[in-house]
Amino acid sequence: MAHTGNSSMHGSSSRPQLLDLSKAEIQGNEEEKYPSILLPNQSHDISYLALDIGGSLIKLVYFSRHQDQSTNDKRMRNVKNRLGFPSNRRSYPILGGRLHFVKFETRKISECLDFIYSKKLHFGGGESRYSDGSTELNAIIKATGGGAHKFADLFKERLGLILDKEDEMSCLVAGANFLLKAIRHEAFTHMEGQKEFVQIDPNDLFPYLLVNIGSGVSMIKVDGDGKFERISGTNVGGGTYWGLGRLLTKCESFDELLELSQKGDNRNTDMLVGDIYGGMDYAKIGLSASTIASSFGKATSEKKGLEDYRPEDISLSLLRMISYNIAQIAYLNALRFGLKRIFFGGFFIRGHAYTMDAISFAIHFWSNGAAQAMFLRHEGFLGALGAFMSYEKHGLDDLMVHQLVERFPMGAPYTGGNIHGPPLRDLNEKISWMEKFLQKGTEITAPVPMTRPGTTGLGGFEVPLSKGSILRSDASALNVGVLHLVPTLEVFPLLADPKIYEPNTIDLSDHSELEYWFKILSENLPDLVAKAVASEGGTDDAKRRGDAFARAFSAHLTRLMEEPAAYGKLGLARLLEMREECLREFHFFDAYISIKQRENEASIAVLPDLLMELDSLDEETRLLTLIEGVLAANIFDWGSRACVDLYNKGTIIEIYRMSRNKMQRPWRVDDFDVFKERMLGTGDKKPPPHKRALLFVDNSGADIVLGMLPLARELLRRGTEVVLVANSLPALNDVTAMELPDIVAEAAKHCDILRRAAESGGLLVDAMSTTLDSPRGNSSSVPLMVVENGCGSPCIDFRQVSSELAAAAKDADLVILEGMGRALHTNLNARFKCDALKLAMVKNQRFAEKLIKGNIYDCICKYEPAN
């Protein structure tokens, strides 16, 4: 039945793809060691494609390289030179190649072929050769699964593709290894309808047991990359469930059979311990009355025929019988080989909540709680991903977890890996698709509309509660996104302990918390749409895109309310970033651009008076006034409903003055005196200045101009290098790294300290001739520099920051986080290796009450010395 054997991965040699080199030219500085080369006539996407063709589903993984629009900004290049960072790195590191996951029913293979053709994926394979003496050049793509043999001629005939067949088990293991090492929230447990994501340490992954449940079952002991052994298996698997189910219930599809199980009650067919012992437990050996003593046992003692039993009950009993037995055999093998982790996947599971619950219960029961069943979000794509990795130069091996970003575009035609319409060629087609299909509700985006989390009865002894009204082939309730491969992202080097770092302060696993934030985001949506449309001139096209964005983001919220774990572990930072991604998906790249420009101009106009006031104060009073100014200016946040209401009652300067006048200590969190002692010392004891400060800035307008720039000026005055850290991409009214140099240049017209520091840091174009020749510049002033943080969100996750920021952090000994998003919603509890100051005004009543036991407009000044 089950044989044992050793296998390893062997990638085939690859020929490079043909590139269109016509009109190629070097882009940027030709003196750079590795300058960028622009290929204007090369296809925008160069793709690699791999397939896993099974008996029921075709899984397709393809990679597209998207050419980045690099900038030739001399100011930014000079800053990077000063930091010792190669200037040919991308200006927008969150852009890059993407790994896509798509699936089709095998019986509809023509749809798969049409998709490949429409996307021109058959032109982008990793290899090519002439087939059997013909004059036709055939692309070669990697494929695995039985269908790679069965449909080889069809792929060659329709698309001119040669399927290079890879070993199925080798691909399965390679795909699992990659996902477990590279995706932060790939593995999860599933008990009583509750998903809990498990962080796997890549250095402590092996060995583990991989249980693949297809028609039959293979149990694979994985000892490392390319090192695995099939140690056991069973012929009782998914095929058994489907075969017996079809005979006994007359169901026409596997999914129909699964759907029946959700309405079943196995007590009508299974013999329970309580049936044998008069409703009593068998406590002596630890069996409860609800324990199944014999699957289908009641059929032996009742004078009933098949027609007397409900198909729903039969389906449920079958599902339990097979799930329990597979799980028991898996645990016994894990025990035999001393394996700590057991991962389940394959066609039989398909993310079905009740199936996962049944397997989890059995593992828990037989191990007395010592072992857990774990599942994978991308489990259906293990083989296709492994086939992709069999390309000789696939480039995935060296990627680390912080270099992959998963995004969830509303990008029809596919969501959750499933095709829902024709391939789309442009944004207009996407909008048309949404207008047509999204009106049907969340069925397009939600594989299984779920009830609120509840119990299925541990082990499934009771009627399952985690069931949906609709069940389709992607019954996982876990959407599969697009993986962005971003080699330029790094872990922030100043985190005290990256392994225990958790960015989110708010716990969205609390359902009431989740409902509250969804309500806030929904209420703010009309105002956001209005500003987005206005930023594009209010055209009919902008209105249509605005409506599509509102539909798409509302669908995301609905999806997540039904199943908070649908996109992986959900935190507020991820939720807010998804909103910005959705805006960009519909080509709203900076919804607040006109508002930001207007507020910057108004704030610059009053900056000279503020600087004059600050210079008239003694050192101690000036430092307090500067911190008060940062807190007061942080009131300007278009992401806060309370602040939006304030905007309607006064001008930006009036609101800023009102806010400053209300600054009264002690604040809700008030560590100013400790920070003052570090800055100024006590008595005659003067501490040395910080070497370099990283200032994570928040909003445009008064926040940056009247708050953070004056604070940066004070640090520069004391001899501290200052690096302003801002978003790579726009989010709400947050200032971006591309906007900051112009703001600094305007402010420098009113301040010699800022002017000299900006010249030294290469931020003033007129001074470029004095700074470009030397990495350290010729100015004796300490520099003021700008770097991007690598994200486009109101929050920041320090597990994924830009390479420029990581380089700037290496010599930094002070971090200042400003604003609710970066200092409160995320990173309030984060600890750093250097001194850290967190400054924010609370602009959300619920946050104030729950997290700091205070009120709206309370202030946070949290100082933490270096660990």
Side-chain angles (χ1 to χ4, degrees), residues 194-208:
Q194 298 281 353
K195 295 182 184 70
E196 185 173 333
F197 289 92
V198 180
Q199 181 60 49
I200 305 294
D201 183 351
N203 299 315
D204 188 33
L205 172 60
F206 306 111
Y208 66 84

Side-chain angles (χ1 to χ4, degrees), residues 637-763:
D637 185 349
W638 282 92
S640 164
R641 171 56 59 184
C643 296
V644 172
D645 291 341
L646 280 178
Y647 283 113
N648 298 324
K649 299 176 182 178
T651 67
I652 183 173
I653 301 307
E654 290 171 341
I655 297 169
Y656 171 71
R657 288 171 178 160
M658 176 272 293
S659 183
R660 274 195 64 182
N661 291 336
K662 288 187 175 182
M663 286 289 117
Q664 293 184 350
R665 298 182 63 200
W667 300 313
R668 177 55 57 179
V669 176
D670 194 339
D671 294 334
F672 172 76
D673 292 335
V674 183
F675 177 65
K676 180 184 71 174
E677 184 175 342
R678 168 60 186 88
M679 293 291 290
L680 306 181
T682 55
D684 296 332
K685 196 173 180 181
K686 298 292 183 183
H690 290 95
K691 182 179 180 181
R692 177 182 289 171
L694 303 179
L695 275 60
F696 290 80
V697 298
D698 191 7
N699 305 301
S700 294
D703 200 355
I704 178 65
V705 176
L706 305 180
M708 291 299 278
L709 273 183
L711 179 59
R713 175 178 180 261
E714 183 67 18
L715 292 167
L716 292 165
R717 190 204 299 261
R718 295 176 179 279
T720 299
E721 291 185 359
V722 174
V723 180
L724 300 177
V725 185
N727 269 11
S728 299
L729 296 175
L732 295 173
N733 64 319
D734 291 2
V735 67
T736 68
M738 296 301 292
E739 295 164 345
L740 266 177
D742 289 333
I743 294 173
V744 170
E746 287 300 312
K749 294 177 181 178
H750 308 288
C751 174
D752 284 342
I753 297 173
L754 289 177
R755 180 182 57 76
R756 290 194 300 269
E759 287 177 356
S760 179
L763 295 181

Side-chain angles (χ1 to χ4, degrees), residues 88-102:
N88 65 319
R89 290 294 186 102
R90 294 171 175 170
S91 295
Y92 283 76
I94 68 168
L95 302 178
R98 301 169 186 175
L99 205 59
H100 305 258
F101 302 85
V102 188

Side-chain angles (χ1 to χ4, degrees), residues 188 190 195 349 351-361 375 476:
F188 64 94
H190 199 288
K195 295 182 184 70
I349 293 176
H352 184 235
Y354 190 77
T355 306
M356 292 188 290
D357 266 1
I359 290 172
S360 297
F361 166 75
F375 308 91
S476 63

Side-chain angles (χ1 to χ4, degrees), residues 73-79 741-742 761-765 768:
D73 191 316
K74 292 183 178 180
R75 293 172 296 194
M76 301 305 291
R77 284 174 43 219
N78 192 56
V79 170
D742 289 333
L763 295 181
L764 299 186
V765 175
M768 292 305 298

